[in-house]
Amino acid sequence: MNLKQLSLELGLSQTTVSRALNGFPEVSEATRNRVQLAADRHQYRPSTRAKGLATGKALAIGHVIPVSTKHETMNPIFGDFIAGAGETYSRNGYEMILSIVDDQNENDVYRGLKARHSVDGVVVHGPRMDDPRIALLNEIGLPFVVHGRASGVTAPYSWVDVNNRRAFNRAADFLIDLGHRRIGLINGLEVMDFAHRRRNGYMDTLTANGIAADPTLMRSGEMTEEFGYTSTRDMLALPDRPTALMTSSMILAMGTRRAIEEAGLTIGRDVSVITYDDELSYLRNGGDVPIFTATRSSVRDAGRRLAEMLLADIANPFSQPQTELLEAELMVGQSTGPAPHL
Amino acid sequence: MNLKQLSLELGLSQTTVSRALNGFPEVSEATRNRVQLAADRHQYRPSTRAKGLATGKALAIGHVIPVSTKHETMNPIFGDFIAGAGETYSRNGYEMILSIVDDQNENDVYRGLKARHSVDGVVVHGPRMDDPRIALLNEIGLPFVVHGRASGVTAPYSWVDVNNRRAFNRAADFLIDLGHRRIGLINGLEVMDFAHRRRNGYMDTLTANGIAADPTLMRSGEMTEEFGYTSTRDMLALPDRPTALMTSSMILAMGTRRAIEEAGLTIGRDVSVITYDDELSYLRNGGDVPIFTATRSSVRDAGRRLAEMLLADIANPFSQPQTELLEAELMVGQSTGPAPHL
DNA sequence: AAACAAGTTCAAAGCGCTTTGGAAGCGAAT
DNA sequence: ATTCGCTTCCAAAGCGCTTTGAACTTGTTT
C-alpha cells in the first residue's frame, strides 16, 4: 500500500492524504480522521527512501564502530551503549545504521555515509588522542557527537563523557586512605583517550600524596580478561608487589581476580582491587554488597543521553556544540580493605 | 555532487554515466574510463535513497535485537556476531540497520521494516521455542535467516546454528569419562531454543550412562556472571554436591569460578568445569592451554556465514531455505580433571 | 549507393514521497 | 453582484537515481 493507492481509495489527492498524516493544519479534522483510519486499516507506512528523497533527511543515525585489524577486539561496552541509544532513536522515528570498519578505512566510511546521504548524523566511538575524525567530520559537515573526548583536539565539538580523571582520582584516594602505597594500574590502550585520562587521574593523586609513580606498576593493553590476568600475575611476582590494583573495566577485574586467587592470595585482604564499572547488563557488580569496589557509571545511560543530544543537534543545525560530563559514583564493595603489613 | 552534475560536466547523458559506473556492457571502454576518473575525482557516490527508490532494493539488512523489558539484558555475544556479519555486508555494499526493541513490540518492528521498505531482509536473533516470528516473516514475505533454530516450528526456514546438543553431549561424555557422576548444568533461560537443546544434550548423555538427571543440579536463567555465581554457590552447598559443572557461557563460568574459589575449593581438582565458549574477542579462553575446558565455536564466524547466506537468499528469491549446522570443538583446558573421591 | 547490423549514446518515464503555488467553495462584507 | 477572506483541497514539480525504447554513428554487406 502506498500513498497513491491510499489516496485513490479515499478519493483524495496525495497532497491531502500526506498532509493529513503529517499533522498539517490545513486539513479538516473530519477528513484527517477518515485518512488516519484508512491508513491504520492498511497498516500504511510511508517509504523511508521516498520520504528521505523528498525531504532531504535520512531519518537515520550512523554508528561507526572501529575494529582494530590487529586485535579484532570488539569493545564489550558497545552492546549496552547502543541499547541505550537505540531506545532514543526508535522513540523519535530514527533508524540506526551500523558500520563495522577496520581502523584503516574509517575516513572513507564517514565520507561515504555523507556522500550517499545515508545518515543525518553519526556518533563517534572510541575517540583516541588527537583523533583526526573530528576534524574530518567538521570538514565534511556531518553532525556528530563523540562518546568520550579527544585530548589535543582544539576545535569545538559535542561530546558525552564520564569524568574519568575524577573517577580515578577518587579511586586512588580511597585506596591511599586505606593505607595503600603500592598501587598498580591496569588500563586500556593509551592511544584511547579515556585510558589517558584515567592514568592522569591515577598519577596525579599518587603524586599529590607523595607517592612516586612506578612504571612497573602501570600496564596498558587491550581490555581482555587475559590481559587483566597476565598483568596482575606479573605485578604480583615483583619483589615489592602492589597491595592494591586499579583496573579500567570489570572484564580486566575478572582476570585480576583469577591471578590473585591463583597466587593463593585473598582479594580485599592481601590485595585490594577497585575497578571501573560500566554497568554492563550481563556483568552486574553483585547484589546488595558489590563484589568489587568500583567507580561506576552506566554506559547505557550515556548512550541514551548522547542520542538525545545528537537528535537535538540535527533538529537545530545552528546550535553550538553541546557537552555533558557524567560523574561516576564510588561504590564500596568487598574487594577493598586496609593495606596489609607486608 | 550528483549524477546530473556529473553528467553535465562530462557532456554525457545521465543514462550513460549511470551505466558506465555500474559496469554495463553497452558503453565503450574509453568513455567508461573517462567517467570513472571524473567520479573518483569528485568522490561521487550515488545516493542510497535514490538508488533504492529506483531499483526497489534497500541495500540494507535489518537486525532486530530483542531486549527483554524485565531484565534489560543485552546479549553479550551480540557485538561479536554483528562484527562478523558487518564484514560481509560492507564487502557487498550493504548497510546494517539495527533495531533495539523490547520483546513486546517485536512484530510491529518487522512489519514496519517491511512496509517502509527499509531493508531487503532481516536476521532473527535469539530464537525461542515455537518462535512466532518465523511464521510472521514468512507471512509478510521478508527474507530472513535465523541465528539458531526454533524447536516446534515446522515451516521450513533458513538458519545457521551450532550443534548445541552434540556440544553438550560431548562435554558431558568427557566429564563422565573422567569419572564424574554428579554433574551440574548452569544454562540460559529455557525459553531460548539453544538452552533447550543444550539441556537435552546434557540429559541424554547422562541417561545413556545410567545417571539419573537431578533437578537440583540444573539451573537456568539470565546468563550473567552473578547467575553463574549464585547457582554454583547453591549447588556446592548441597549435601551431595556436584563434582563437575557445565555452563552455557564464559560469563557464567566466571561466576562459577568465583563461587568455587570462595568455597575454598580448587577448580579442575575439587570441581571440574566445562563451559561453552563463543570465542568473544574480549573473553579469549587463555593462551596455549585454555583456562577452561570448553566446547567452542566462534560466534563471529557464525555472523559471517549467516550474512552470506542471507545475501544469497536475497539475490535469488526462488531459492530453497538454506541451513548450516556448525560443530563446536572440544578444547581441553585446566578446569577439568578426574572426579575426586568425596 | 542503399540496406543492414553492431556499437554507442540519449530523452524521458518512473520509483513514492513532500511541497509549491494555485483553485474551488462558501459565507460575509462592500 | 462583486469582492474579499477563509478553509479545504489539488495538480504538478522535484528529490537522485535506473531503465526502457529509440536514435544516432560507424562499418559491413548487398
Side-chain angles (χ1 to χ4, degrees), chain B residues 98-207:
Chain B
L98 224 66
S99 289
I100 312 289
V101 60
D102 63 90
D103 37 17
Q104 314 296 325
N105 312 44
E106 267 184 286
N107 282 11
D108 290 350
V109 172
Y110 290 111
R111 283 216 151 82
L113 286 174
K114 168 77 178 181
R116 295 195 320 259
H117 303 278
S118 302
V119 299
D120 298 322
V122 294
V123 357
V124 173
H125 288 269
R128 299 177 274 274
M129 307 212 19
D130 304 300
D131 201 306
R133 289 176 290 175
I134 291 165
L136 173 72
L137 288 167
N138 276 328
E139 179 200 327
I140 64 182
L142 191 56
F144 68 98
V145 178
V146 181
H147 181 209
R149 278 171 286 178
S151 304
V153 173
T154 51
Y157 58 93
S158 296
W159 50 262
V160 173
D161 199 4
V162 170
N163 197 336
N164 282 303
R165 186 179 198 120
R166 170 98 52 95
F168 276 59
N169 282 155
R170 294 182 62 194
D173 253 334
F174 182 80
L175 290 169
I176 291 169
D177 285 350
L178 283 169
H180 295 275
R181 309 284 295 175
R182 297 284 293 163
I183 302 173
L185 172 69
I186 304 174
N187 204 354
L189 286 167
E190 293 213 355
V191 282
M192 303 303 289
D193 189 78
F194 79 88
H196 180 71
R197 287 177 196 273
R198 288 177 182 182
R199 186 174 61 135
N200 283 346
Y202 158 88
M203 294 215 302
D204 285 355
T205 300
L206 292 198
T207 311

Side-chain angles (χ1 to χ4, degrees), chain A residues 245-264:
Chain A
L245 290 170
M246 293 169 57
T247 64
S248 251
S249 79
M250 286 285 285
I251 298 272
L252 285 172
M254 311 247 107
T256 290
R257 183 171 65 205
R258 176 157 66 99
I260 291 172
E261 274 160 354
E262 193 177 285

Side-chain angles (χ1 to χ4, degrees), chain B residues 41-326:
Chain B
R41 182 153 29 87
H42 290 98
Q43 304 219 49
Y44 168 75
R45 297 263 175 292
S47 148
T48 348
R49 290 199 295 262
K51 189 167 188 157
L53 236 205
T55 58
K57 328 233 115 274
L59 288 180
I61 303 296
H63 284 244
V64 181
I65 317 292
V67 174
S68 79
T69 8
K70 286 196 295 290
H71 313 285
E72 285 228 327
T73 301
M74 190 73 189
N75 193 336
I77 69 167
F78 167 68
D80 276 80
F81 180 85
I82 60 165
E87 280 177 35
T88 303
Y89 296 148
S90 53
R91 204 173 334 110
N92 290 278
Y94 274 72
E95 276 166 353
M96 169 160 53
I97 290 187
L98 224 66
S99 289
I100 312 289
V101 60
D102 63 90
D103 37 17
Q104 314 296 325
N105 312 44
E106 267 184 286
N107 282 11
D108 290 350
V109 172
Y110 290 111
R111 283 216 151 82
L113 286 174
K114 168 77 178 181
R116 295 195 320 259
H117 303 278
S118 302
V119 299
D120 298 322
V122 294
V123 357
V124 173
H125 288 269
R128 299 177 274 274
M129 307 212 19
D130 304 300
D131 201 306
R133 289 176 290 175
I134 291 165
L136 173 72
L137 288 167
N138 276 328
E139 179 200 327
I140 64 182
L142 191 56
F144 68 98
V145 178
V146 181
H147 181 209
R149 278 171 286 178
S151 304
V153 173
T154 51
Y157 58 93
S158 296
W159 50 262
V160 173
D161 199 4
V162 170
N163 197 336
N164 282 303
R165 186 179 198 120
R166 170 98 52 95
F168 276 59
N169 282 155
R170 294 182 62 194
D173 253 334
F174 182 80
L175 290 169
I176 291 169
D177 285 350
L178 283 169
H180 295 275
R181 309 284 295 175
R182 297 284 293 163
I183 302 173
L185 172 69
I186 304 174
N187 204 354
L189 286 167
E190 293 213 355
V191 282
M192 303 303 289
D193 189 78
F194 79 88
H196 180 71
R197 287 177 196 273
R198 288 177 182 182
R199 186 174 61 135
N200 283 346
Y202 158 88
M203 294 215 302
D204 285 355
T205 300
L206 292 198
T207 311
N209 285 273
I211 304 175
D214 179 349
T216 61
L217 296 186
M218 289 160 47
R219 311 271 164 137
S220 72
E222 295 270 349
M223 297 205 287
T224 63
E225 197 266 358
E226 186 169 22
F227 180 68
Y229 169 77
T230 53
S231 302
T232 306
R233 186 195 57 196
D234 294 352
M235 286 196 211
L236 291 183
L238 290 173
D240 190 12
R241 71 164 174 80
T243 63
L245 290 169
M246 294 169 56
T247 65
S248 252
S249 78
M250 286 284 286
I251 297 272
L252 285 172
M254 312 246 106
T256 290
R257 182 171 66 205
R258 176 156 67 98
I260 291 173
E261 274 159 354
E262 194 177 285
L265 301 171
T266 298
I267 204 166
R269 196 191 62 196
D270 304 316
V271 184
S272 286
V273 175
I274 181 163
T275 186
Y276 185 88
D277 175 7
D278 296 285
E279 295 195 54
L280 302 187
S281 53
Y282 51 90
L283 264 186
R284 294 257 178 251
N285 188 5
D288 306 334
V289 182
I291 305 155
F292 288 105
T293 298
T295 47
R296 84 174 180 196
S297 172
S298 161
V299 71
R300 191 177 191 133
D301 282 345
R304 249 185 298 254
R305 283 294 305 122
L306 188 145
E308 283 163 15
M309 193 181 282
L310 181 52
L311 294 189
D313 244 38
I314 288 168
N316 176 6
F318 299 111
S319 60
Q320 293 302 305
Q322 308 286 306
T323 65
E324 182 161 347
L325 189 58
L326 306 167

